Amino acid sequence: MTIKSILKTACLFLNKEELCDKIDIDDMSILSDSEKEQILFLLKCLNLVYQEIATDYFPLLNKEVITTTDGKVLFSNLQKEFLEVISLKDCNGQKVRFRSFPSYLETAAEKVEIVYKYLPSDLESLTSTMETFSNKVSEKTFAFGVAMEYSFINGLYEDAQIWEKRFKDALFIRSCKKSNIKLPVRRWF
């Protein structure tokens, strides 16, 4: 799944077929200013959808080992943009108590292993790499989201509601557990 293919599918949904061929062009300087604007606008819509999925549906996790400074784990020292702590353990694997503040975590341990949710960085070009959410989100689902955001921003509220329903339904279906559910053995008395 590439950014270009997502945007091309979104163009088809939005009846912008003339823009589909322009997305494949690697040299953006060939395009007119209007075409560049439209493609970059669709990329901004994709960024909104990308971050919504990462924060609300399929969180991205990162694990790091950090040495604290004065008992503080500064969010600015983490590799990714911090959202929420999942777990905090010391070097022995024991859970560590902590208090959360706006820019850091306070803990008594000197060296900790932190697992946290993070916000993905913005996609800045059509060749940027993006997280795939363990292949849980399809290209079509991303395209539904781009069409939804595009419609909302441009005031096409009826169209936006249709795309929003399709987007959220697709995410709901992907989030449902599909493996076998084991029930306890029934006992007869």
Side-chain angles (χ1 to χ4, degrees), residues 16 27-28 50 54 74 78 87 89 91 94 99 102 111 135 151 157 169 172 175:
K16 294 187 171 290
D27 186 11
M28 295 276 281
Y50 186 43
L74 300 174
L78 297 175
S87 74
K89 297 179 181 179
C91 55
Q94 300 297 315
R99 289 180 55 191
K111 192 170 189 177
N135 293 324
S151 300
Y157 298 114
D169 286 349
F172 176 74
S175 66

Side-chain angles (χ1 to χ4, degrees), residues 2-187:
T2 64
I3 294 171
K4 288 182 180 184
S5 62
I6 292 168
L7 295 183
K8 285 174 67 173
T9 306
C11 285
L12 290 175
F13 291 160
L14 295 166
N15 291 325
K16 294 187 171 290
E17 289 86 11
E18 71 282 354
L19 202 57
C20 280
D21 298 330
K22 310 292 183 185
I23 290 173
D24 279 333
I25 296 174
D26 290 329
D27 186 11
M28 295 276 281
S29 63
I30 298 172
L31 303 175
S32 70
D33 289 341
S34 159
E35 293 167 337
K36 284 181 204 174
E37 271 182 35
Q38 289 181 357
I39 291 172
L40 292 176
F41 185 70
L42 288 171
L43 184 61
K44 287 179 185 177
C45 292
L46 178 59
N47 276 318
L48 292 171
V49 171
Y50 186 43
Q51 291 183 354
E52 179 181 351
I53 292 170
T55 56
D56 298 341
Y57 296 98
F58 300 109
L60 297 171
L61 303 178
N62 194 32
K63 182 193 296 187
E64 293 182 45
V65 176
I66 300 285
T67 303
T68 62
T69 53
D70 298 329
K72 295 178 182 177
V73 176
L74 300 174
F75 298 148
S76 58
N77 291 344
L78 297 175
Q79 295 171 353
K80 308 279 185 172
E81 190 173 339
F82 177 83
L83 281 178
E84 180 184 350
V85 174
I86 300 298
S87 74
L88 194 67
K89 297 179 181 179
D90 62 11
C91 55
N92 297 325
Q94 300 297 315
K95 286 187 178 182
V96 176
R97 293 179 59 130
F98 65 91
R99 289 180 55 191
S100 184
F101 293 92
S103 61
Y104 63 92
L105 298 175
E106 188 175 73
T107 183
E110 290 181 22
K111 192 170 189 177
V112 294
E113 177 186 86
I114 182 172
V115 177
Y116 60 96
K117 293 180 188 179
Y118 70 91
L119 190 66
S121 56
D122 281 344
L123 307 169
E124 296 178 6
S125 71
L126 299 180
T127 57
S128 299
T129 58
M130 62 188 287
E131 300 288 339
T132 61
F133 302 100
S134 302
N135 293 324
K136 291 181 182 174
V137 183
S138 69
E139 176 183 307
K140 190 174 179 181
T141 304
F142 275 114
F144 287 153
V146 171
M148 172 193 71
E149 290 295 340
Y150 180 90
S151 300
F152 272 128
I153 292 169
N154 286 310
L156 306 169
Y157 298 114
E158 291 177 6
D159 291 346
Q161 288 176 339
I162 293 168
W163 294 120
E164 180 180 31
K165 179 168 177 20
R166 293 187 77 182
F167 173 66
K168 289 188 176 178
D169 286 349
L171 287 174
F172 176 74
I173 288 169
R174 294 299 292 173
S175 66
C176 291
K177 185 174 181 174
K178 300 219 178 355
S179 62
N180 293 337
I181 298 171
K182 295 182 181 182
L183 296 174
V185 178
R186 220 168 168 189
R187 293 175 32 169

